[in-house]
């Protein structure tokens, strides 16, 4: 009696190629983000008159927008200075962490071949983001203590 072995079809290799193809956009986004972070570290937005321009809203109107200090926050975060990052823009720091969670969920979903839910898929996300950003906009522009310390 002869034993026949099944013919190898190459399915596992095809599966790996498919996974790598699906993860390509995530890798491209990560590479772009790393390049942007490298540029922010090189340009040093905490130096006045540097390469990175100041916030146009603050420059033209004197009003601090919810994103003001975001680039300096990212610079401080990349250098490992968490207190400075919180000082420049605490809400942007939270959104950076949420963004990282979203990218990780997207990467896992692309790798597995089925979507993975993150905070972006929650029902109340748009309303909560609008309330948080609106409140942050108001609180940062209050001209009396202790809120005047949020002016950057």
């Amino acid at each position: 009696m002869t034993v026949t072995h099944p013919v190898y079809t190459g399915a596992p290799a095809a599966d790996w190629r498919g996974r790598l193809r699906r993860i390509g956009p995530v890798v491209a986004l990560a590479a772009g983000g790393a390049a942007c972070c490298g540029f922010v570290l090189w340009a040093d937005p905490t130096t006045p008159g540097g390469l990175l321009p100041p916030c146009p809203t603050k420059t033209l109107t004197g009003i601090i927008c919810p994103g003001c200090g975001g680039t300096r926050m990212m610079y401080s975060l990349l250098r490992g200075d968490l207190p400075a990052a919180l000082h420049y823009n605490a809400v942007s720091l939270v959104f950076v962490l949420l963004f990282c969670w979203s990218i990780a969920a997207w990467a896992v979903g692309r790798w597995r071949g089925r979507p993975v839910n993150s905070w972006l898929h929650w029902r109340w996300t748009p309303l909560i983001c609008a309330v948080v950003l609106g409140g942050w906009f108001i609180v940062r522009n209050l001209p009396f203590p202790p809120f005047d310390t949020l002016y950057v």
Side-chain angles (χ1 to χ4, degrees), residues 54-66 68 137 141 151:
C55 175
T57 305
K58 184 177 176 183
T59 302
L60 296 174
T61 65
I63 296 173
I64 303 174
C65 74
C68 277
F137 176 72
N141 286 292
Y151 191 86

Side-chain angles (χ1 to χ4, degrees), residues 8 10-22 111-113:
Y8 179 71
D15 184 44
W16 276 98
R17 282 191 296 258
R19 283 185 174 187
L20 290 176
R21 195 174 322 114
R22 288 193 308 257
W111 184 258
R112 290 181 180 169

Side-chain angles (χ1 to χ4, degrees), residues 21-152:
R21 195 174 322 114
R22 288 193 308 257
I23 205 79
V26 179
V27 172
L29 180 69
C36 289
C37 289
F39 180 73
V40 167
L41 275 173
W42 176 75
D44 187 7
T46 59
T47 304
L51 286 174
L52 296 170
C55 175
T57 305
K58 184 177 176 183
T59 302
L60 296 174
T61 65
I63 296 173
I64 303 174
C65 74
C68 277
T71 309
R72 290 173 283 172
M73 179 275 307
M74 184 57 73
Y75 176 77
S76 299
L77 188 63
L78 291 170
R79 293 188 47 116
D81 191 357
L82 188 60
L86 287 169
H87 167 71
Y88 285 125
N89 198 325
V91 171
S92 287
L93 179 61
V94 172
F95 276 106
V96 164
L97 296 174
L98 289 171
F99 181 70
C100 289
W101 173 18
S102 301
I103 297 302
W106 183 42
V108 169
R110 301 277 299 188
W111 184 258
R112 290 181 180 169
R114 62 182 190 273
V116 174
N117 287 338
S118 70
W119 68 282
L120 293 172
H121 301 96
W122 296 344
R123 179 179 180 185
W124 298 100
T125 295
L127 180 62
I128 291 170
C129 288
V131 168
V132 167
L133 290 175
W136 184 240
F137 176 72
I138 292 168
V139 166
R140 288 187 93 187
N141 286 292
L142 294 175
F144 50 87
F147 305 109
D148 57 351
T149 59
L150 297 173
Y151 191 86
V152 291

